[in-house]
Amino acid sequence: MSRIRSLALFGLIASLAGCANTTTEPTTAPTNQPTSQPTATLAAVATPTIGEVGPRLVFVTNQPNQMTIMLAALDGSEAKPLNPDFPRAMDPAFSPAGNELAFAVQDSDGFNIYISSVDGSNLVQVTSEAGDDQSPSWSPDGQQLVFQSNRSGNDEIYRVNRDGSNLLQLTNDPAHDGMPSWSPDGSVIAFSSSRGFSDEESSGRELYVIQPDGQALQQLTKARGRAQNPSWSPDSQQLVYVFFESAIVGGDIAGNTIYTIKRDGSEAKLLQANAFDPQWLDQRIAFTTYDEQTFHTALRILDLNTLQVSVPITMPEIDLMQPVFNR
């Protein structure tokens, strides 16, 4: 239990039918953040056309010395590994068309970014530099990726074509920059950064946005805690993100919450307690929670119209994390 409840999972947290649960909100909110509930409305967004690929849920199973990306068809069939040959794979991200995945795989020289079809075929390695390349996020046209990398000795944000060409470093700061998320309208990239925190606040993170050319840096959150894992609303007007109230190393994983915030940094609102790894898709947000009954992390879906929580898939003896949907 102690392994699961440890925030050592911080670096991995980079996020349809079933039993509905209602989760209690925390009694305290982050400093300088409003506590009112968000309105459960969102502008309708058209479902992308993705050929013959039906609705899919992808997630990561986390076991000792093994992290596996799993694919579920949401038709009652058993979830299957995307690529069983990879002992440690994580950070899955569906392409805008929903028929491809980008993800990070641990190789002999660290983590590298790969792309494959949604069934695991047509595997292509995108990055190969020594170091850890993680947390890929697609451009709206599916032709580029942004990701975090420590190849320079420090975590920074990079942009690259899907074939590995035209690498561009977007950030260059002594702080740690990571967990990028490219807005659906293509205008900005949100990311989490330790800028402005002291050595004693080494886990502290705030959210920033930057243009795809690395210009026009803007800070969004100023709560002096751990703001991370940003994910855009389909209309690019809001972000959902993880917040933990302490910037000091340590803490209880169940203390993570998810908030929404407007793209200009205004109106931060508490959405869900005991939640991390959020992914916003239409009227739903998928997330990971710590299950007090099984002592493992589990997957949940929040319906933004009803604010009810459902369970998309259960594997009670294994830690599940990083849920993403293609539609």
Side-chain angles (χ1 to χ4, degrees), residues 165-186:
S165 64
N166 294 331
L167 180 74
L168 176 65
Q169 184 174 339
L170 300 184
T171 65
N172 185 10
D173 192 275
H176 298 286
D177 298 334
M179 302 181 181
S181 180
W182 206 322
S183 64
D185 67 7

Side-chain angles (χ1 to χ4, degrees), residues 91-300:
D91 297 343
F94 273 108
S95 65
N99 56 359
E100 293 180 293
L101 282 163
F103 49 94
V105 174
Q106 188 176 40
D107 296 327
S108 59
D109 58 352
F111 280 92
N112 285 302
I113 304 298
Y114 286 74
I115 292 174
S116 78
S117 297
V118 75
D119 61 0
S121 63
N122 301 314
L123 184 68
V124 175
Q125 184 171 351
V126 179
T127 67
S128 57
E129 189 80 13
D132 291 326
D133 299 341
Q134 297 171 273
S135 301
S137 177
W138 294 83
S139 62
D141 63 3
Q143 297 305 304
Q144 295 179 300
L145 295 165
V146 288
F147 62 96
Q148 75 175 64
S149 177
N150 63 3
R151 61 180 61 199
S152 67
N154 188 58
D155 288 319
E156 306 288 356
I157 306 298
Y158 292 80
R159 192 188 79 205
V160 70
N161 289 347
R162 58 175 293 146
D163 63 1
S165 64
N166 294 331
L167 180 74
L168 176 65
Q169 184 174 339
L170 300 184
T171 65
N172 185 10
D173 192 275
H176 298 286
D177 298 334
M179 302 181 181
S181 180
W182 206 322
S183 64
D185 67 7
S187 62
V188 291
I189 294 161
F191 64 97
S192 181
S193 178
S194 64
R195 298 166 192 237
F197 288 94
S198 65
D199 292 341
E200 290 75 21
E201 301 171 309
S202 59
S203 289
R205 298 291 187 274
E206 301 287 8
L207 297 188
Y208 291 77
V209 292
I210 198 170
Q211 291 177 354
D213 61 1
Q215 302 300 309
L217 179 72
Q218 177 189 356
Q219 184 174 350
L220 297 186
T221 62
K222 299 178 181 178
R224 304 300 299 174
R226 303 178 206 173
Q228 55 192 4
N229 289 103
S231 175
W232 288 96
S233 62
D235 63 4
S236 300
Q237 297 306 303
Q238 298 182 75
L239 286 158
V240 63
Y241 64 98
V242 179
F243 185 82
F244 188 83
E245 63 182 7
S246 174
I248 309 299
V249 174
D252 189 332
I253 194 172
N256 284 289
T257 57
I258 55 176
Y259 272 68
T260 59
I261 193 170
K262 290 190 174 181
R263 66 179 289 160
D264 63 1
S266 65
E267 298 187 28
K269 298 178 181 180
L270 176 64
L271 189 64
Q272 187 74 27
N274 184 13
F276 50 100
D277 290 340
Q279 186 225 3
W280 199 330
L281 181 65
D282 296 337
Q283 301 294 327
R284 299 164 293 162
I285 291 177
F287 64 94
T288 306
T289 189
Y290 178 76
D291 191 327
E292 298 280 356
Q293 302 300 313
T294 65
F295 308 122
H296 288 279
T297 53
L299 306 185
R300 299 290 186 265

